[in-house]
Amino acid sequence: MKKFTSVSDVENLQEIIKKALQIKENPLTETEKGKGKTIGLVFLNSSLRTRLSSQIAAQNLGLNVLTLNAAQEAWNLEFADGAVMNGDTVEHIKDAIEVLNQYCDIIAVRCFAGMKSKEDDVNESILSQFEQHAKVPVVSLESATRHPLQSLADCITITENWKKDRKPKVVLTWAPHIKPIAHAVGNSFAEWMQEMDVELIIANPVGYDLDTNFTKDVKVIHDQDEALKDADFIYVKNWSSFDDYAAMPEVKENWMLTNEKLANTNHAKVMHCLPVRRNVELSDEIMDGENSIIYQQAKNRIFSAQAVFSEILDEL
């Protein structure tokens, strides 16, 4: 694996899931693999699971870990090409990346969508600069359009919880939120599930369809109850409008998942990437109930990251 920014960087998805599950059984089998090498974790946005799971995964491999909270601890960065830097930006991203090249064997970066310019976000205006200027492998810790380490953890979690000899029905359902949320998790989950042996359905209100570059031919249903019928797994996530970019069209129906809505499923397991706004996106009864595998999903973030870092180290 030369880099990791999307499912297309994975040569064999089932093999890396298998590897992650083996790592989960004994996370300390490769403690010498990263010895003498350094990974730089660059956070342009806040994080809990991604930060901690990536640090644990890297340490389990013997990597030296440098964590930079770039938005708070570094100089104000300039991202525009040809910028005349006579304002409040002090260091150009090209220069910062070149320095990281000198210090790190792997660069991992977290850079959310700005939610202001659709063009900038769709074209990955920040991640693309890391890919362009980095001379070492780049790992996405979430970008404007994708969250691949989360999606790999989701694949691991579904694999762990499905032992039947038929395809599981997996529903990605929109949930309410108080502010516009980016599309990265929804896009990424849809993309990765199409590489899994599952039946994927997307449920969202009218006006909230995701980018078809990610959903492709996946069936989209605008009636949540209809979509949830006979579901085996339900992935709950909010996102704003893609067509009317970052808008929040009015939704009159109640889309928050409750136990009542699980009644017509196959006792579906419920997933969420976290953080979650309780009793807005998900009810307490779901979060704390027997159907939730959300914390298992969160733990698997360690093993998705460790499997990816291990594969990249094999190429160094």
Side-chain angles (χ1 to χ4, degrees):
M1 188 182 294
K2 304 291 188 184
K3 65 183 181 71
F4 185 78
T5 60
S6 76
V7 70
S8 64
D9 295 318
V10 177
E11 185 175 336
N12 187 315
L13 178 54
Q14 289 305 314
E15 283 300 313
I16 199 166
I17 291 171
K18 181 180 177 181
K19 177 170 186 165
L21 289 170
Q22 290 171 341
I23 289 170
K24 187 172 184 176
E25 289 181 8
N26 188 350
L28 301 179
T29 56
E30 296 183 313
T31 55
E32 296 294 309
K33 187 175 238 188
K35 187 175 181 180
K37 293 184 169 57
T38 297
I39 185 169
L41 306 178
V42 182
F43 289 90
L44 295 170
N45 302 99
S46 57
S47 176
L48 190 153
R49 279 147 299 279
T50 300
R51 180 188 305 271
L52 298 182
S53 63
S54 297
Q55 289 177 335
I56 293 167
Q59 289 166 357
N60 286 348
L61 291 165
L63 281 159
N64 180 40
V65 183
L66 302 178
T67 302
L68 176 65
N69 301 312
Q72 293 85 35
E73 298 172 352
W75 300 110
N76 288 342
L77 292 170
E78 176 62 59
F79 295 97
D81 283 337
V84 177
M85 293 174 53
N86 58 1
D88 62 356
T89 56
V90 178
E91 183 158 31
H92 200 283
I93 187 64
K94 290 191 289 187
D95 302 322
I97 295 170
E98 185 55 49
V99 171
L100 289 168
N101 285 329
Q102 312 304 312
Y103 297 163
C104 304
D105 299 283
I106 302 170
I107 298 172
V109 59
R110 184 174 178 89
C111 48
F112 289 172
M115 303 298 288
K116 295 178 180 178
S117 167
K118 184 176 184 177
E119 181 180 6
D120 284 350
D121 290 345
V122 168
N123 292 325
E124 294 283 8
S125 62
I126 298 176
L127 181 64
S128 63
Q129 295 201 53
F130 278 86
E131 292 189 275
Q132 179 183 352
H133 300 296
K135 297 172 183 173
V136 299
V138 171
V139 175
S140 170
L141 303 177
E142 188 173 359
S143 68
T145 64
R146 293 179 172 97
H147 196 347
L149 284 176
Q150 177 65 58
S151 297
L152 177 53
D154 301 336
C155 293
I156 295 164
T157 306
I158 289 172
T159 300
E160 282 184 308
N161 285 278
W162 188 252
K163 304 302 178 187
K164 299 180 182 179
D165 59 0
R166 64 171 177 85
K167 288 185 180 183
K169 179 179 178 180
V170 179
V171 178
L172 170 62
T173 182
W174 181 91
H177 209 284
I178 65 167
K179 63 180 183 180
I181 298 295
H183 308 92
V185 172
N187 287 343
S188 201
F189 185 76
E191 198 170 49
W192 284 69
M193 284 299 107
Q194 290 172 77
E195 300 297 321
M196 293 278 284
D197 189 22
V198 304
E199 176 194 356
L200 176 64
I201 301 290
I202 300 175
N204 58 256
V206 173
Y208 284 91
D209 289 1
L210 290 165
D211 184 353
T212 55
N213 285 319
F214 297 96
T215 61
K216 300 190 185 302
D217 296 326
V218 174
K219 187 175 183 180
V220 179
I221 297 176
H222 295 137
D223 182 315
Q224 189 184 42
D225 290 334
E226 178 187 348
L228 294 180
K229 189 176 188 306
D230 299 327
D232 298 297
F233 295 90
I234 302 170
Y235 198 110
V236 179
K237 186 70 180 87
N238 175 266
W239 57 84
S240 55
S241 175
F242 177 73
D243 289 335
D244 185 9
Y245 196 67
M248 297 175 66
E250 182 182 5
V251 177
K252 295 182 179 179
E253 303 87 358
N254 179 16
W255 281 73
M256 184 180 74
L257 193 64
T258 61
N259 278 343
E260 183 180 358
K261 292 185 178 184
L262 293 183
N264 68 340
T265 71
N266 287 324
H267 201 62
K269 300 294 186 183
V270 179
M271 304 172 69
H272 191 288
C273 63
L274 296 175
V276 63
R277 289 181 180 262
R278 283 175 175 252
N279 302 309
V280 176
E281 297 173 80
L282 278 174
S283 60
D284 280 336
E285 63 185 7
I286 293 286
M287 281 295 299
D288 302 326
E290 63 179 10
N291 294 77
S292 172
I293 53 173
I294 292 169
Y295 302 124
Q296 177 185 354
Q297 187 184 354
K299 184 173 183 178
N300 283 337
R301 291 294 310 278
I302 298 170
F303 312 115
S304 67
Q306 193 166 332
V308 167
F309 296 164
S310 176
E311 292 280 296
I312 289 175
L313 285 169
D314 286 338
E315 298 292 327
L316 295 181

